[in-house]
Amino acid sequence: MCGIMGYSGYQEAVPVLIGGLRRLEYRGYDSAGIVIAENGGLTIEKRAGTLDVLVRALNNRRFTATFGIGHTRWATHGSPTDINAHPHADCSGRLAVVHNGIIENYRFLRNWLKSEGHVFKSDTDTEVLPHLIEQYYQDDLYQAVSRALEHVEGSFAVLALALDEPGRLIVARQDSPLVIGLGERENFIASDIPALLPYTQNTYLLNDGEMAEVSPDGVKVFDFNGTPVFKDVFQVNWEAEQAEKAGYDHFMLKEIHEQPRALRDTLRGRVDESCWQAVLDELDLDRGVARSLKKVFITACGTAFHAGVVGKYVIEKLARVPVEVDIASEFRYRDPLINAGDLAIVVSQSGETADTRAALREARRRGARVVAITNVVGSSVAREADSILYTWAGPEIAVASTKAYVTQLAAFYLLAVWLAGERGTLPDDEREAILRALREIDHGVETLLADADRIAALAHRYQQRECLFFIGRGLDYAVAMEGSLKLKEISYIHAEAYAAGELKHGTLALITAGVPVIALATQPDLFDKTLSNIKEVKARGAEVVTLTFASDHDTEDLGDHIIHLPPTHPVLAPILAVVPLQLFAYYAAVFRGCAVDKPRNLAKSVTVE
Ligand code: AGP
C-alpha cells in the first residue's frame, strides 16, 4: 500500500518528508515523490524505484520550503514509472495531490474532465483528483477538495496543497488510513504512525468520512458535510518497530487482521449490485472465449496452489468447465495436454516465483491463453500473462501468506461466477446469493478474528504435539491443505492434510489416543460423510477440533472442540474456515518461540527453482 507524508511548520520540509517516507518503506512501494512550494512555483520530484533514486534526483539541493507532501506508491492502476509516481498536479501546475486507495469511477471522471479541457499525463486513477479539484478551485482549497470528493467512488486517503495557499494542507479519508501528528508550530500527516514517531507521539486518528485542514498553527477536522468534529488526542506509546506492525506483535498477525480490508479492496468495483453480476472487464476475456472454453488449467505453488484447488472446485461447480490444478513445478515437466483455446490461470502473490513463471511460459508456448492472479502490479507474472486479475491485498511482508490467499479465493469466486454467467450455467438467484454473500464475507472474517483468544487457547493446548491431521471433503479438503501448510511452515509442527474419505485406506493407522485432528465440516452435501469420519478418528482416540456451520448437532457428535463459523453461502466457506487455521498456526508458532514472520529455511518469494 502507498505511503503518505505531509508537513507544515517551521523546519525545512524536504528532510522531514524523506525521513517520514523512509519509515513507511516497510509498507512496500515501487516509486516515490515529493512536492514543495517555493520560488513562486511548485517543485515536484518523483522517480520510479526506491527512495534512494529520488534522493539522488534531489541531488543535495537545499530547499527552503517549510511545507510539502511526500508519497511512496504501491502501483495499482498504471505501472511503476516516473510519470505515474505521485504527486500529481493539475493543468495549472498550482495544485498537487497524493493518494492512497482505488478510485473505482476514475475512467468516467477522466473522460468527463478531458471533455472539460483537462490534459492528463499519467495513466493512473489518482490523476483525476488534481484535475477534479482544479475544476472546482476558486480561492479555497478545502472547499474545492470537498466538492471534488463528492464525485469520487472508491477508497482514498488524499493529501492536497495549493501554491496560492502556503502552509495549508487538506486531507480526506475514506477506507484508507491517515494519521495527523500534532507538534509545536508544526503539524504532520502520514498514512501510518511510524512516520510520525521521531517528531511527535500526539496524534489524531482520522476516521472514514473525515477531512482536515492542517497548518503550522493548528488542525481543524470536519466530516464530509463540513460539520466540525472534535478529536481526542491519541498518544502513541509504541516503539518504531512495533508501530510498523500497527501495534501487532508480528506482520503475520497484522496481515491476518487486514483480511477484511483486503477482501473489500479486492471486491471493490468488481460486483455490479444493480444486477448482481461479476464485473471483470480488466480481463479482456470476451463472451466467445468463455462459451467455447473446453478446459481450464490452474497452476501455482504453496499457498497459491491451495487457492487454486479451491478455484478448481468452484469453477467446475459453477461454470461446469473441466479444471486441472497442478503444482507449478509438476505442471511444467509433465508434458501437459494444454492447447490453444484452453485457459491457464497462474496464481502468485509475489508474481516472481520461478516455478510459476516457468509454468506460465510453458502454458503460453502450448498456445493457451494465460490469466494471472497476482498481488504485485508490474511483476514478472503480471507482465507475461495475457490478462491480469489483481488481488488488492497490499504488500504481504510475512513469509506465511494469509491475506493474499483469501484475496486469491475472492478472485477465483469472481472468475467462476463471471464464467458461469457467460456460459449460462448458474441460475440468476444462485448467482445473486453467492455475490451477496461475497460482498458481506468481510464481516464474517471480522467475527472470527474477534474469537482469536479461543483459537490461541487451542493452539496452546496442542503446541507440543508431534503431529496434527487436517481432514475434510471437497472444498474442506482444499482448506485442510492450507491449514496444514500454515502450521508446518511457521510452528515447525508436522501436519498432514488428508481427504477425510481416504483415511481408512491407510493413514488411519496413525490415529491413536490423543492425536489432534482438525476436521472441516462446512459443506452441507458432505456433512454427514465427514461426521462419520470424525467418529472414525474419535473411535481411535483422536482429539477432534471441528470447524462447522452446524449448530443443531450434539457437541459430542461433532468433536471435542467446536469452532462455529458465521453463516455464509457454503461455496464461500473456505474464506471463513481458513481464518481460525491461520490464527491456530500463528499462536502455535508464538508459543513455541518460532520466528513467525521469517521461518527457518523459507523465503517470501522463491525466485529460484
Ligand atoms: C505461503 O505461506 C508460503 N510462504 C509459500 O508456499 C508461497 O505461497 C509460495 O512460495 C508461492 O508464492 P507466490 O504466491 O508468491 O508465488
Side-chain angles (χ1 to χ4, degrees):
M1 282 171 294
C2 308
I4 288 176
M5 184 69 183
Y7 176 71
S8 184
Y10 60 89
Q11 299 184 60
E12 285 182 35
V14 172
V16 174
L17 297 177
I18 297 297
L21 293 179
R22 284 216 183 278
R23 279 181 290 279
L24 295 173
E25 284 190 293
Y26 70 90
R27 295 164 63 88
Y29 68 101
D30 41 46
S31 61
I34 62 166
V35 57
I36 53 173
E38 63 174 15
N39 308 326
L42 292 186
T43 299
I44 295 180
E45 286 290 355
K46 54 185 187 174
R47 295 290 188 280
T50 65
L51 267 177
D52 292 335
V53 175
L54 174 63
V55 169
R56 283 197 294 275
L58 294 170
N59 195 21
N60 300 320
R61 282 173 280 165
R62 284 300 296 269
F63 298 95
T64 57
T66 60
F67 95 112
I69 302 176
H71 189 266
T72 49
R73 178 176 181 246
W74 169 266
T76 55
H77 299 72
S79 296
T81 62
D82 293 0
I83 291 290
N84 287 338
H86 301 198
H88 289 285
D90 69 330
C91 301
S92 73
R94 304 178 73 84
L95 299 173
V97 172
V98 297
H99 162 243
N100 186 7
I102 298 170
I103 299 176
E104 284 178 41
N105 60 336
Y106 81 97
R107 289 184 183 88
F108 167 77
L109 293 172
R110 189 182 177 103
N111 291 334
W112 173 62
L113 288 162
K114 281 182 173 176
S115 71
E116 293 286 316
H118 292 268
V119 177
F120 286 78
K121 295 174 183 168
S122 78
D123 46 14
T124 65
D125 57 333
T126 297
E127 197 186 352
V128 299
L129 291 174
H131 294 290
L132 204 50
I133 295 167
E134 178 185 23
Q135 183 72 12
Y136 294 109
Y137 187 72
Q138 291 168 350
D139 56 6
D140 182 339
L141 184 60
Y142 176 90
Q143 289 304 326
V145 171
S146 179
R147 287 199 61 191
L149 294 179
E150 289 170 7
H151 300 268
V152 172
E153 295 168 13
S155 61
F156 51 80
V158 179
L159 182 42
L161 61 74
L163 180 61
D164 302 327
E165 301 184 28
R168 196 178 187 219
L169 300 173
I170 304 298
V171 295
R173 175 195 160 147
Q174 183 59 48
D175 221 358
S176 194
L178 266 183
V179 186
I180 295 173
L182 307 171
E184 293 295 323
R185 295 186 298 115
E186 60 182 4
N187 289 300
F188 309 79
I189 300 134
S191 39
D192 211 351
I193 284 171
L196 303 175
L197 289 183
Y199 310 106
T200 180
Q201 290 181 299
N202 298 323
T203 65
Y204 286 158
L205 305 179
L206 273 191
N207 296 318
D208 285 343
E210 292 181 346
M211 290 184 67
E213 174 189 347
V214 178
S215 66
D217 307 327
V219 177
K220 296 174 188 167
V221 182
F222 307 87
D223 66 19
F224 281 3
N225 298 318
T227 306
V229 173
F230 174 78
K231 300 295 281 185
D232 289 323
V233 175
F234 173 75
Q235 189 160 60
V236 180
N237 298 314
W238 297 329
E239 294 305 318
E241 194 208 342
Q242 183 91 15
E244 286 183 5
K245 300 166 192 143
Y248 291 102
D249 290 338
H250 299 96
F251 279 111
M252 183 180 177
L253 188 60
K254 177 185 176 212
E255 288 154 11
I256 289 172
H257 283 263
E258 282 179 343
Q259 292 182 124
R261 192 267 314 145
L263 285 163
R264 285 194 293 273
D265 284 353
T266 299
L267 295 170
R268 182 170 284 118
R270 291 168 165 166
V271 176
D272 181 342
E273 297 185 13
S274 65
C275 56
W276 292 104
Q277 295 277 10
V279 179
L280 296 180
D281 300 345
E282 68 228 80
L283 282 189
D284 195 23
L285 283 177
D286 63 40
R287 181 183 293 257
V289 169
R291 288 187 167 174
S292 62
L293 195 55
K294 294 286 182 294
K295 197 159 191 180
V296 175
F297 290 78
I298 300 173
T299 187
C301 298
T303 286
F305 165 71
H306 297 151
V309 178
V310 172
K312 166 189 168 63
Y313 281 110
V314 172
I315 291 172
E316 287 190 340
K317 186 178 182 67
L318 303 184
R320 310 309 295 160
V321 182
V323 181
E324 287 190 26
V325 57
D326 282 273
I327 290 170
S329 56
E330 291 295 307
F331 176 83
R332 58 186 295 206
Y333 295 117
R334 70 173 177 83
D335 192 10
L337 297 172
I338 182 170
N339 308 299
D342 292 338
L343 181 66
I345 302 172
V346 172
V347 190
S348 176
Q349 188 283 132
S350 63
E352 300 301 339
T353 300
D355 283 321
T356 308
R357 291 178 59 193
L360 184 159
R361 292 195 196 104
E362 184 63 12
R364 291 204 72 176
R365 190 177 68 82
R366 294 169 182 261
R369 181 185 182 84
V370 177
V371 169
I373 296 176
T374 185
N375 195 41
V376 180
V377 175
S379 60
S380 300
V381 159
R383 288 196 305 270
E384 295 173 31
D386 295 301
S387 43
I388 311 162
L389 188 48
Y390 280 119
T391 52
W392 301 129
E396 191 175 65
I397 312 293
V399 165
S401 186
T402 52
K403 62 179 183 174
Y405 172 77
V406 294
T407 56
Q408 287 160 1
L409 297 188
F412 272 117
Y413 288 121
L414 289 167
L415 188 55
V417 169
W418 181 82
L419 281 171
E422 296 302 318
R423 297 167 58 84
T425 55
L426 187 64
D428 291 350
D429 59 342
E430 185 64 2
R431 185 188 69 240
E432 177 172 344
I434 291 171
L435 290 179
R436 281 184 184 277
L438 193 54
R439 287 292 282 171
E440 296 300 316
I441 202 76
D442 59 320
H443 302 310
V445 174
E446 284 163 350
T447 301
L448 289 163
L449 292 173
D451 199 24
D453 289 348
R454 180 153 172 265
I455 306 299
L458 284 171
H460 191 268
R461 178 182 178 82
Y462 297 122
Q463 59 168 305
Q464 296 304 336
R465 300 303 173 89
E466 290 290 310
C467 176
L468 277 82
F469 288 86
F470 292 74
I471 65 170
R473 290 170 177 255
L475 284 171
D476 286 335
Y477 176 39
V479 179
M481 292 177 189
E482 177 56 13
S484 167
L485 174 62
K486 284 281 113 19
L487 186 66
K488 283 185 286 190
E489 69 173 325
I490 61 169
S491 75
Y492 313 145
I493 298 172
H494 181 71
E496 192 164 353
Y498 230 82
E502 183 66 7
L503 275 170
K504 54 187 172 297
H505 299 288
T507 303
L508 194 59
L510 297 180
I511 304 295
T512 56
V515 170
V517 174
I518 314 286
L520 291 104
T522 70
Q523 300 303 297
D525 57 335
L526 297 168
F527 182 80
D528 291 339
K529 292 292 183 188
T530 306
L531 211 50
S532 63
N533 296 132
I534 290 171
K535 288 173 182 167
E536 195 175 69
V537 295
K538 278 184 66 63
R540 274 84 181 168
E543 272 193 44
V544 180
V545 178
T546 302
L547 285 71
T548 183
F549 295 117
S551 54
D552 54 353
H553 276 70
D554 298 336
T555 301
E556 58 271 14
D557 280 348
L558 278 175
D560 301 290
H561 310 279
I562 316 301
I563 297 172
H564 289 292
L565 302 177
T568 188
H569 192 288
V571 81
L572 302 181
I575 291 184
L576 297 183
V578 77
V579 174
L581 304 186
Q582 293 167 341
L583 290 168
F584 182 84
Y586 169 77
Y587 285 112
V590 167
F591 291 134
R592 290 165 62 92
C594 297
V596 173
D597 286 334
K598 295 178 180 166
R600 67 189 180 206
N601 309 337
L602 303 181
K604 180 59 185 170
S605 178
V606 184
T607 56
V608 293
E609 291 186 20

